[in-house]
Amino acid sequence: LTDINALVTDAYTARLTMTDQPLFDRMTVDAWYNDTHFNGDNLRPGKREQIPQLDNFLNSATSPIGLFLETQADSISRGFREAMTWGREKEWQFTVGVDLTYLSSYLDEYDILKNLTTNSLAAFFDSPIPRAHLADPGIFVDSIMPMSDQLTLKAGARVDFASTQVEHLQPIPNGIAPPNVQGVTPASYE
């Protein structure tokens, strides 16, 4: 029901590879950081023409109630992976490694019901999904054994130690209007 007004993603990745070392044949270290955030609403006339129910949400002939939405969110992903391999390409290879993925996100949505006849506030709801994170460190092993040009055996195992947590609950605003709702001022909420 909302258009995206702004969407930004910043993404960074780096890789370091070392080969033919005394302790291993190949080591690869990958690291990444991604941050995506957006905001949006349903305030544009085109959106309201496309979905006319937004201007008469409760289907009332005498007192139409409009539904006005604003939303914002962000999602962050960061982590690393390190793997050491013994053995050459197209020969028996054994790999052991560790990695960590850390995800963090939140979403907030303001739902405003406004009487379009009197241009007054009917109801205001804040529907937040609080910032929470997932931390997922893991270890893994992998083995590749070429049997012929047509047959290669692969086996591996992985152990993860995933944990999640809500970082903080957002307080529900009292007497504060979302910044972009047309015709509704903070005084309307008091």
Side-chain angles (χ1 to χ4, degrees):
L1 292 177
T2 60
D3 292 322
I4 294 176
N5 294 333
L7 172 68
V8 176
T9 297
D10 296 312
Y12 306 94
T13 184
R15 172 174 277 185
L16 170 67
T17 301
M18 298 173 64
T19 58
D20 301 322
Q21 300 297 310
L23 296 177
F24 51 82
D25 293 310
R26 185 177 71 242
M27 180 179 76
T28 304
V29 178
D30 292 305
W32 64 90
Y33 175 86
N34 296 301
D35 181 1
T36 299
H37 52 277
F38 74 88
N39 65 58
D41 58 43
N42 70 352
L43 304 179
R44 289 184 180 84
K47 174 62 75 178
R48 305 195 78 76
E49 288 175 19
Q50 180 185 24
I51 307 173
Q53 294 84 356
L54 292 173
D55 285 331
N56 196 355
F57 186 66
L58 300 177
N59 200 22
S60 170
T62 58
S63 193
I65 302 292
L67 174 62
F68 298 87
L69 302 173
E70 291 187 46
T71 186
Q72 62 184 2
D74 109 349
S75 179
I76 300 170
S77 168
R78 54 187 172 246
F80 77 91
R81 172 174 295 182
E82 183 274 330
M84 283 194 284
T85 302
W86 294 269
R88 303 278 179 206
E89 193 84 22
K90 298 192 179 188
E91 297 176 5
W92 176 82
Q93 288 184 330
F94 179 75
T95 301
V96 62
V98 298
D99 60 12
L100 169 68
T101 300
Y102 186 89
L103 306 173
S104 174
S105 63
Y106 88 95
L107 181 132
D108 204 353
E109 179 179 296
Y110 298 103
D111 303 341
I112 298 97
L113 296 173
K114 187 168 85 168
N115 185 317
L116 298 179
T117 304
T118 62
N119 202 29
S120 62
L121 180 70
F124 168 67
F125 305 97
D126 184 14
S127 306
I129 297 174
R131 180 167 296 282
H133 70 261
L134 162 72
D136 183 10
I139 58 173
F140 58 92
V141 295
D142 184 89
S143 182
I144 299 174
M145 184 179 298
M147 303 302 286
S148 68
D149 288 342
Q150 290 80 28
L151 178 64
T152 300
L153 299 178
K154 296 182 179 183
R158 178 176 180 88
V159 176
D160 285 279
F161 307 93
S163 68
T164 60
Q165 183 176 3
V166 173
E167 293 178 19
H168 64 275
L169 295 175
Q170 292 176 276
I172 296 176
N174 185 12
I176 301 172
N180 296 327
V181 178
Q182 300 164 346
V184 178
T185 62
S188 311
Y189 285 85
E190 296 175 4

